[in-house]
Amino acid sequence: MDDPTEPGDRAARHVWSAGRYPAMAPNMLPAIARLVNVAGIDPGNRVLDVGCGTGNAALTARRAGADVLGLDLAHDMLDLARDNAALAGYDDIGWLTGDAETLPVPDGAFDVVLSNFGHVFAPDSTRAGAELRRVTKPGGRVCFTAWSPNGVVGDLTRVLTDHVADPPSDPWSHLQWGDPEFVREQFADVADCSFQRRLLEFRYATPHHFWREFAEESGPLSPVLRRMDDDDSRAALRRDAVAALEEWFGDNAIRVEYLQVRAVVE
């Protein structure tokens, strides 16, 4: 499938780079387990994992007995996902290159559509949300996670906007999905929509280590930071970010708040 976006747009969508992301991915596993559990996946269910990354949610759904298709825009992520599936002995998971805003699958094809911090980074949020619902069959479930604007990711984004006057893309846009009111507006046509506030613990020796991996090298703020070419500005941003992280750090972990959403499609 051809990608109609310009190269800059495509780059902006690759929020999680495959460089150091595999080292961070295990921190996401508790959120994935909760997401698959709340989705109520039964053996034989047809499941789509949107923004599958290294494949952990797809693998978890497959262990629950589902027939799984993982989709991601990044080819290098899909390569890692295939390797992880092979290690687990699953040769029956499908892997597909695709965009959350134009899912290359038929209407109503899936019992469950999962997105673990995936579709929330699509530039057109309304279009991405509509696509999740389009490909879910009536009575099926759309279940996803999104970072909370009131948690540590929101605090880091505030620090970022204090230091970067004109970021190449809106660093706040993905955090809209962490607001239940925004989700209700986007999913106004579903039969039922439920929310749970959750916490993840990202285990690092110091806030500096978390900042390096979550922000500078692989996380949702990294596209903006990579465009900062002034060492003094980067150092000032890092100083203020680490100070903000101290508020969320304890027992060698950063506590990261997120929203878990379950919607039943009519």
Side-chain angles (χ1 to χ4, degrees), residues 16 20-34 54 56 116-117 145 147 199-205 209-210 213-214 218 252-256 258:
W16 298 95
R20 295 187 62 91
Y21 177 76
M24 177 175 283
N27 290 292
M28 307 289 190
L29 289 173
I32 289 170
R34 295 165 187 161
T54 57
N56 286 332
N116 190 60
F117 307 107
T145 53
W147 302 119
L199 284 175
L200 278 175
E201 290 190 341
F202 283 62
R203 299 206 167 274
Y204 291 95
H209 290 81
F210 176 88
E213 291 200 356
F214 187 77
S218 66
N252 279 358
I254 298 287
R255 300 179 303 281
V256 186
Y258 70 96

Short mmCIF file of all heavy atoms in Angstrom, two decimals, residues 16 20-34 54 56 116-117 145 147 199-205 209-210 213-214 218 252-256 258:
data_model
loop_
_atom_site.label_atom_id
_atom_site.label_comp_id
_atom_site.label_asym_id
_atom_site.label_seq_id
_atom_site.Cartn_x
_atom_site.Cartn_y
_atom_site.Cartn_z
N TRP A 16 8.17 6.07 18.08
CA TRP A 16 9.05 5.14 18.79
C TRP A 16 10.04 4.57 17.78
O TRP A 16 9.68 3.80 16.92
CB TRP A 16 8.24 4.00 19.40
CG TRP A 16 7.26 4.46 20.41
CD1 TRP A 16 5.93 4.73 20.21
CD2 TRP A 16 7.50 4.71 21.79
NE1 TRP A 16 5.35 5.12 21.37
CE2 TRP A 16 6.28 5.12 22.37
CE3 TRP A 16 8.63 4.62 22.61
CZ2 TRP A 16 6.16 5.44 23.71
CZ3 TRP A 16 8.51 4.94 23.94
CH2 TRP A 16 7.29 5.35 24.48
N ARG A 20 16.57 2.01 20.51
CA ARG A 20 16.65 1.55 21.89
C ARG A 20 15.29 1.10 22.42
O ARG A 20 15.18 0.71 23.57
CB ARG A 20 17.22 2.65 22.79
CG ARG A 20 18.65 3.02 22.48
CD ARG A 20 19.19 3.99 23.51
NE ARG A 20 19.22 3.41 24.84
CZ ARG A 20 20.26 2.75 25.36
NH1 ARG A 20 21.35 2.57 24.66
NH2 ARG A 20 20.20 2.27 26.59
N TYR A 21 14.25 1.17 21.59
CA TYR A 21 12.92 0.79 22.08
C TYR A 21 12.86 -0.62 22.64
O TYR A 21 12.21 -0.85 23.66
CB TYR A 21 11.87 0.97 20.99
CG TYR A 21 10.50 0.53 21.44
CD1 TYR A 21 9.75 1.32 22.29
CD2 TYR A 21 9.99 -0.70 21.05
CE1 TYR A 21 8.50 0.91 22.73
CE2 TYR A 21 8.73 -1.12 21.49
CZ TYR A 21 8.01 -0.30 22.33
OH TYR A 21 6.78 -0.72 22.77
N PRO A 22 13.53 -1.63 22.03
CA PRO A 22 13.44 -2.97 22.60
C PRO A 22 13.88 -3.03 24.06
O PRO A 22 13.37 -3.84 24.83
CB PRO A 22 14.37 -3.79 21.70
CG PRO A 22 14.30 -3.09 20.39
CD PRO A 22 14.24 -1.62 20.74
N ALA A 23 14.82 -2.18 24.47
CA ALA A 23 15.24 -2.17 25.87
C ALA A 23 14.15 -1.60 26.77
O ALA A 23 14.06 -1.96 27.95
CB ALA A 23 16.52 -1.35 26.02
N MET A 24 13.32 -0.71 26.23
CA MET A 24 12.25 -0.10 27.02
C MET A 24 10.97 -0.92 26.98
O MET A 24 10.16 -0.87 27.92
CB MET A 24 11.97 1.31 26.49
CG MET A 24 10.83 2.01 27.20
SD MET A 24 10.63 3.70 26.65
CE MET A 24 11.98 4.45 27.54
N ALA A 25 10.76 -1.69 25.94
CA ALA A 25 9.50 -2.39 25.72
C ALA A 25 9.04 -3.23 26.91
O ALA A 25 7.84 -3.28 27.19
CB ALA A 25 9.59 -3.25 24.46
N PRO A 26 9.93 -3.93 27.65
CA PRO A 26 9.44 -4.72 28.78
C PRO A 26 8.70 -3.91 29.83
O PRO A 26 7.84 -4.45 30.54
CB PRO A 26 10.72 -5.33 29.36
CG PRO A 26 11.64 -5.44 28.19
CD PRO A 26 11.36 -4.20 27.38
N ASN A 27 8.99 -2.61 29.94
CA ASN A 27 8.25 -1.77 30.89
C ASN A 27 6.77 -1.68 30.54
O ASN A 27 5.94 -1.39 31.41
CB ASN A 27 8.85 -0.35 30.90
CG ASN A 27 10.21 -0.28 31.54
OD1 ASN A 27 10.35 -0.48 32.75
ND2 ASN A 27 11.21 -0.02 30.74
N MET A 28 6.43 -1.93 29.28
CA MET A 28 5.04 -1.84 28.82
C MET A 28 4.25 -3.12 29.07
O MET A 28 3.02 -3.13 28.93
CB MET A 28 5.01 -1.57 27.30
CG MET A 28 5.81 -0.39 26.85
SD MET A 28 5.07 1.17 27.36
CE MET A 28 6.08 2.32 26.43
N LEU A 29 4.92 -4.21 29.42
CA LEU A 29 4.24 -5.50 29.51
C LEU A 29 3.08 -5.54 30.49
O LEU A 29 2.04 -6.16 30.20
CB LEU A 29 5.26 -6.60 29.82
CG LEU A 29 6.22 -6.93 28.68
CD1 LEU A 29 7.30 -7.90 29.15
CD2 LEU A 29 5.47 -7.51 27.49
N PRO A 30 3.17 -4.93 31.68
CA PRO A 30 1.98 -4.93 32.56
C PRO A 30 0.78 -4.25 31.92
O PRO A 30 -0.35 -4.73 32.08
CB PRO A 30 2.48 -4.19 33.81
CG PRO A 30 3.95 -4.39 33.82
CD PRO A 30 4.35 -4.36 32.37
N ALA A 31 0.99 -3.15 31.20
CA ALA A 31 -0.13 -2.47 30.54
C ALA A 31 -0.72 -3.36 29.46
O ALA A 31 -1.95 -3.39 29.27
CB ALA A 31 0.34 -1.14 29.93
N ILE A 32 0.12 -4.10 28.74
CA ILE A 32 -0.37 -5.00 27.70
C ILE A 32 -1.20 -6.12 28.30
O ILE A 32 -2.27 -6.46 27.78
CB ILE A 32 0.82 -5.55 26.89
CG1 ILE A 32 1.43 -4.44 26.03
CG2 ILE A 32 0.40 -6.74 26.03
CD1 ILE A 32 2.75 -4.80 25.39
N ALA A 33 -0.71 -6.71 29.38
CA ALA A 33 -1.46 -7.79 30.02
C ALA A 33 -2.83 -7.31 30.48
O ALA A 33 -3.85 -8.00 30.29
CB ALA A 33 -0.67 -8.34 31.20
N ARG A 34 -2.89 -6.12 31.07
CA ARG A 34 -4.17 -5.55 31.52
C ARG A 34 -5.08 -5.28 30.32
O ARG A 34 -6.30 -5.51 30.39
CB ARG A 34 -3.92 -4.26 32.28
CG ARG A 34 -3.16 -4.43 33.59
CD ARG A 34 -2.66 -3.09 34.07
NE ARG A 34 -1.78 -3.21 35.24
CZ ARG A 34 -0.93 -2.26 35.63
NH1 ARG A 34 -0.85 -1.13 34.94
NH2 ARG A 34 -0.18 -2.44 36.69
N THR A 54 7.08 -3.97 18.70
CA THR A 54 7.87 -5.20 18.73
C THR A 54 7.00 -6.44 18.90
O THR A 54 7.53 -7.54 19.02
CB THR A 54 8.91 -5.14 19.85
OG1 THR A 54 8.26 -4.92 21.10
CG2 THR A 54 9.91 -4.03 19.60
N ASN A 56 4.56 -7.26 21.32
CA ASN A 56 4.22 -7.84 22.62
C ASN A 56 2.72 -8.00 22.84
O ASN A 56 2.28 -9.00 23.42
CB ASN A 56 4.84 -6.99 23.74
CG ASN A 56 6.34 -7.20 23.87
OD1 ASN A 56 6.85 -8.26 23.53
ND2 ASN A 56 7.04 -6.18 24.33
N ASN A 116 -1.91 -0.37 21.93
CA ASN A 116 -1.18 -0.07 23.16
C ASN A 116 -0.24 1.10 22.90
O ASN A 116 0.85 0.93 22.36
CB ASN A 116 -0.39 -1.31 23.62
CG ASN A 116 0.19 -1.11 25.01
OD1 ASN A 116 -0.55 -0.91 25.97
ND2 ASN A 116 1.51 -1.18 25.12
N PHE A 117 -0.71 2.32 23.24
CA PHE A 117 0.04 3.55 22.97
C PHE A 117 0.43 3.60 21.49
O PHE A 117 1.54 4.00 21.14
CB PHE A 117 1.29 3.65 23.85
CG PHE A 117 1.01 3.49 25.32
CD1 PHE A 117 1.37 2.33 25.99
CD2 PHE A 117 0.37 4.49 26.03
CE1 PHE A 117 1.11 2.17 27.34
CE2 PHE A 117 0.10 4.34 27.38
CZ PHE A 117 0.46 3.19 28.04
N THR A 145 -4.66 2.06 25.15
CA THR A 145 -4.03 2.81 26.23
C THR A 145 -3.48 4.12 25.67
O THR A 145 -3.12 4.21 24.50
CB THR A 145 -2.88 2.02 26.87
OG1 THR A 145 -1.97 1.59 25.83
CG2 THR A 145 -3.40 0.80 27.62
N TRP A 147 -1.19 7.81 27.22
CA TRP A 147 -0.55 8.50 28.33
C TRP A 147 -1.46 9.61 28.86
O TRP A 147 -2.14 10.28 28.10
CB TRP A 147 0.79 9.11 27.91
CG TRP A 147 1.77 8.12 27.37
CD1 TRP A 147 2.31 8.10 26.13
CD2 TRP A 147 2.32 6.99 28.06
NE1 TRP A 147 3.16 7.03 26.00
CE2 TRP A 147 3.19 6.34 27.17
CE3 TRP A 147 2.17 6.48 29.35
CZ2 TRP A 147 3.91 5.19 27.51
CZ3 TRP A 147 2.87 5.33 29.71
CH2 TRP A 147 3.72 4.70 28.80
N LEU A 199 -1.24 2.86 36.43
CA LEU A 199 0.15 3.30 36.57
C LEU A 199 1.08 2.22 36.05
O LEU A 199 0.86 1.03 36.26
CB LEU A 199 0.50 3.58 38.03
CG LEU A 199 -0.02 4.86 38.67
CD1 LEU A 199 0.33 4.87 40.16
CD2 LEU A 199 0.56 6.09 37.99
N LEU A 200 2.11 2.65 35.35
CA LEU A 200 3.23 1.80 35.00
C LEU A 200 4.45 2.25 35.78
O LEU A 200 4.62 3.45 36.05
CB LEU A 200 3.55 1.89 33.50
CG LEU A 200 2.71 1.06 32.54
CD1 LEU A 200 3.10 1.39 31.11
CD2 LEU A 200 2.87 -0.42 32.82
N GLU A 201 5.30 1.31 36.13
CA GLU A 201 6.56 1.65 36.78
C GLU A 201 7.69 1.36 35.81
O GLU A 201 7.92 0.21 35.42
CB GLU A 201 6.73 0.86 38.07
CG GLU A 201 5.78 1.30 39.17
CD GLU A 201 6.12 0.69 40.52
OE1 GLU A 201 6.85 -0.34 40.54
OE2 GLU A 201 5.68 1.23 41.54
N PHE A 202 8.39 2.41 35.40
CA PHE A 202 9.55 2.28 34.53
C PHE A 202 10.78 2.23 35.42
O PHE A 202 11.12 3.23 36.07
CB PHE A 202 9.64 3.47 33.57
CG PHE A 202 8.68 3.40 32.43
CD1 PHE A 202 7.31 3.40 32.64
CD2 PHE A 202 9.14 3.33 31.12
CE1 PHE A 202 6.41 3.34 31.59
CE2 PHE A 202 8.26 3.27 30.05
CZ PHE A 202 6.89 3.27 30.29
N ARG A 203 11.44 1.10 35.47
CA ARG A 203 12.51 0.89 36.45
C ARG A 203 13.86 1.32 35.89
O ARG A 203 14.38 0.73 34.95
CB ARG A 203 12.53 -0.57 36.91
CG ARG A 203 11.23 -0.96 37.59
CD ARG A 203 11.39 -2.11 38.57
NE ARG A 203 10.18 -2.21 39.39
CZ ARG A 203 9.97 -1.54 40.50
NH1 ARG A 203 10.88 -0.69 40.94
NH2 ARG A 203 8.84 -1.68 41.18
N TYR A 204 14.40 2.37 36.53
CA TYR A 204 15.71 2.90 36.18
C TYR A 204 16.42 3.34 37.46
O TYR A 204 15.78 3.67 38.46
CB TYR A 204 15.58 4.09 35.22
CG TYR A 204 15.10 3.69 33.85
CD1 TYR A 204 13.75 3.76 33.52
CD2 TYR A 204 15.99 3.20 32.90
CE1 TYR A 204 13.30 3.36 32.27
CE2 TYR A 204 15.54 2.81 31.65
CZ TYR A 204 14.19 2.88 31.34
OH TYR A 204 13.76 2.47 30.11
N ALA A 205 17.75 3.36 37.40
CA ALA A 205 18.53 3.69 38.60
C ALA A 205 18.36 5.15 39.01
O ALA A 205 18.38 5.48 40.20
CB ALA A 205 20.01 3.39 38.35
N HIS A 209 18.56 8.37 33.73
CA HIS A 209 18.51 7.21 32.85
C HIS A 209 17.15 7.13 32.14
O HIS A 209 17.07 6.79 30.96
CB HIS A 209 18.78 5.93 33.63
CG HIS A 209 20.20 5.80 34.10
ND1 HIS A 209 20.67 6.43 35.22
CD2 HIS A 209 21.24 5.11 33.58
CE1 HIS A 209 21.95 6.14 35.38
NE2 HIS A 209 22.33 5.34 34.41
N PHE A 210 16.09 7.40 32.90
CA PHE A 210 14.76 7.39 32.28
C PHE A 210 14.67 8.46 31.20
O PHE A 210 14.16 8.19 30.10
CB PHE A 210 13.70 7.64 33.35
CG PHE A 210 12.30 7.76 32.81
CD1 PHE A 210 11.49 6.64 32.65
CD2 PHE A 210 11.77 9.00 32.46
CE1 PHE A 210 10.20 6.74 32.16
CE2 PHE A 210 10.47 9.11 31.96
CZ PHE A 210 9.69 7.96 31.81
N GLU A 213 16.39 7.42 27.85
CA GLU A 213 15.72 6.42 27.01
C GLU A 213 14.31 6.85 26.60
O GLU A 213 13.92 6.67 25.46
CB GLU A 213 15.68 5.06 27.72
CG GLU A 213 17.06 4.45 27.84
CD GLU A 213 17.00 2.95 28.09
OE1 GLU A 213 15.90 2.42 28.25
OE2 GLU A 213 18.07 2.33 28.11
N PHE A 214 13.55 7.40 27.53
CA PHE A 214 12.15 7.72 27.23
C PHE A 214 12.02 8.96 26.37
O PHE A 214 11.11 9.06 25.56
CB PHE A 214 11.36 7.92 28.53
CG PHE A 214 9.89 8.09 28.32
CD1 PHE A 214 9.08 7.00 28.05
CD2 PHE A 214 9.30 9.34 28.39
CE1 PHE A 214 7.71 7.14 27.85
CE2 PHE A 214 7.93 9.50 28.20
CZ PHE A 214 7.14 8.39 27.93
N SER A 218 14.17 7.21 22.48
CA SER A 218 13.15 6.34 21.87
C SER A 218 11.72 6.72 22.17
O SER A 218 10.82 6.13 21.59
CB SER A 218 13.37 4.89 22.34
OG SER A 218 13.13 4.76 23.72
N ASN A 252 13.59 3.36 42.78
CA ASN A 252 14.22 3.10 41.48
C ASN A 252 13.20 2.90 40.36
O ASN A 252 13.36 2.04 39.48
CB ASN A 252 15.15 1.88 41.56
CG ASN A 252 16.50 2.24 42.15
OD1 ASN A 252 16.76 3.39 42.47
ND2 ASN A 252 17.36 1.25 42.30
N ALA A 253 12.15 3.71 40.37
CA ALA A 253 11.14 3.63 39.31
C ALA A 253 10.48 4.99 39.11
O ALA A 253 10.31 5.76 40.06
CB ALA A 253 10.08 2.58 39.64
N ILE A 254 10.13 5.27 37.87
CA ILE A 254 9.30 6.42 37.52
C ILE A 254 7.88 5.91 37.38
O ILE A 254 7.61 4.96 36.63
CB ILE A 254 9.74 7.07 36.20
CG1 ILE A 254 11.18 7.60 36.30
CG2 ILE A 254 8.78 8.18 35.80
CD1 ILE A 254 11.34 8.84 37.13
N ARG A 255 6.95 6.52 38.10
CA ARG A 255 5.54 6.12 38.03
C ARG A 255 4.86 6.92 36.91
O ARG A 255 4.78 8.14 36.97
CB ARG A 255 4.85 6.38 39.37
CG ARG A 255 5.47 5.61 40.52
CD ARG A 255 4.78 5.89 41.84
NE ARG A 255 4.77 7.31 42.18
CZ ARG A 255 5.80 7.97 42.70
NH1 ARG A 255 6.94 7.34 42.94
NH2 ARG A 255 5.71 9.25 42.98
N VAL A 256 4.40 6.22 35.90
CA VAL A 256 3.84 6.84 34.70
C VAL A 256 2.34 6.52 34.63
O VAL A 256 1.95 5.36 34.52
CB VAL A 256 4.55 6.34 33.43
CG1 VAL A 256 4.05 7.12 32.21
CG2 VAL A 256 6.06 6.48 33.57
N TYR A 258 -1.40 6.36 32.98
CA TYR A 258 -2.02 6.25 31.67
C TYR A 258 -3.50 5.91 31.82
O TYR A 258 -3.96 5.53 32.91
CB TYR A 258 -1.30 5.21 30.81
CG TYR A 258 -1.48 3.77 31.23
CD1 TYR A 258 -2.45 2.96 30.66
CD2 TYR A 258 -0.65 3.21 32.21
CE1 TYR A 258 -2.60 1.63 31.05
CE2 TYR A 258 -0.80 1.87 32.60
CZ TYR A 258 -1.77 1.09 32.01
OH TYR A 258 -1.92 -0.22 32.39
#
